[in-house]
């Protein structure tokens, strides 16, 4: 079997992200693969103002969330020894962005947590589930404690 060459770790900075990150780092070391990290700042709720136009709830909030996510991403990258070039901070739908990046960057393994913010009540979270169904490559859903 040919080993993995490019592993993409998707993080939502939820409480057990550390376990998922360590698994991804271990696998990248084992296969001598490139490790990239992605975080997607989720779409903000949209208000229907009643004028036939949808207005973003708070435009400043997006840039604040992006700034805070950037700091957390940089800290994680330092911990995992991932170069800045291999970090992606996106805004939009997490499942769509993860798949898009995987397709565009020849990722051959995506590592996600079995559940995160969206999936506490589910066996497999909604992002994890969607990535599993649509990924162009292998997906590892790391089972998180408590589920
Ligand atoms: P969920 O499906 O939301 O329960 O989350 C399951 C896993 O999907 C998380 O452990 C992350 O690996 C990944 N994930 C969820 N949301 C995001 C996000 N906004 N950015 C990057 N990865 C995410």
């Amino acid at each position: 079997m040919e080993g993995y060459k490019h592993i993409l770790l998707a993080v939502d900075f939820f409480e057990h992200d550390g376990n998922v990150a360590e698994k991804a780092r271990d696998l990248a070391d084992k296969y001598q693969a490139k490790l990239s990290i992605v975080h997607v700042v989720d779409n903000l709720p949209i208000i229907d103002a009643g004028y036939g136009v949808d207005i973003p709830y708070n435009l400043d909030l997006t840039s604040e969330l992006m700034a805070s996510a950037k700091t957390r991403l940089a800290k994680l990258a330092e911990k995992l020894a991932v170069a800045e070039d291999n970090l992606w901070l996106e805004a939009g739908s997490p499942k769509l962005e993860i798949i898009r990046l995987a397709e565009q960057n020849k990722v051959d393994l995506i590592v996600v947590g079995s559940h995160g913010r969206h999936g506490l009540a589910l066996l497999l979270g909604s992002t994890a589930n969607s990535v599993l169904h649509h990924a162009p490559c292998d997906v590892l859903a790391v089972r998180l404690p408590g589920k």
Side-chain angles (χ1 to χ4, degrees):
M1 190 195 90
E2 214 186 309
Y4 297 113
K5 293 192 173 70
H6 189 182
I7 297 175
L8 177 63
L9 163 66
V11 287
D12 61 354
F13 300 124
F14 198 48
E15 56 185 314
H16 297 298
D17 254 1
N19 304 14
V20 185
E22 276 169 29
K23 272 269 163 64
R25 179 70 267 172
D26 283 355
L27 283 167
D29 290 347
K30 181 166 188 267
Y31 288 106
Q32 300 283 295
K34 175 162 117 177
L35 179 61
S36 298
I37 312 176
V38 58
H39 174 71
V40 184
V41 174
D42 223 327
N43 281 325
L44 290 171
I46 302 285
I47 296 172
D48 179 355
Y51 310 122
V53 197
D54 288 340
I55 299 177
Y57 180 63
N58 181 343
L59 289 174
D60 287 343
L61 196 55
T62 308
S63 46
E64 270 178 42
L65 289 173
M66 292 292 270
S68 140
K70 195 174 175 191
T71 307
R72 300 181 85 170
L73 200 55
K75 273 195 193 142
L76 180 63
E78 195 182 343
K79 199 168 157 201
L80 298 181
V82 169
E84 209 177 316
D85 285 355
N86 301 343
L87 301 181
W88 286 303
L89 178 59
E90 306 292 334
S93 153
K95 53 194 176 202
L96 295 180
E97 289 303 308
I98 294 166
I99 297 293
R100 180 183 66 76
L101 285 169
E103 282 171 351
Q104 289 178 358
N105 295 280
K106 293 194 182 151
V107 166
D108 45 16
L109 177 68
I110 301 173
V111 179
V112 292
S114 54
H115 61 271
R117 289 176 202 285
H118 304 103
L120 275 177
L122 307 170
L123 186 61
L124 197 59
S126 59
T127 310
N129 192 43
S130 191
V131 168
L132 260 171
H133 280 96
H134 301 287
C137 60
D138 289 356
V139 177
L140 172 65
V142 177
R143 180 164 291 277
L144 295 175
K147 290 281 149 176

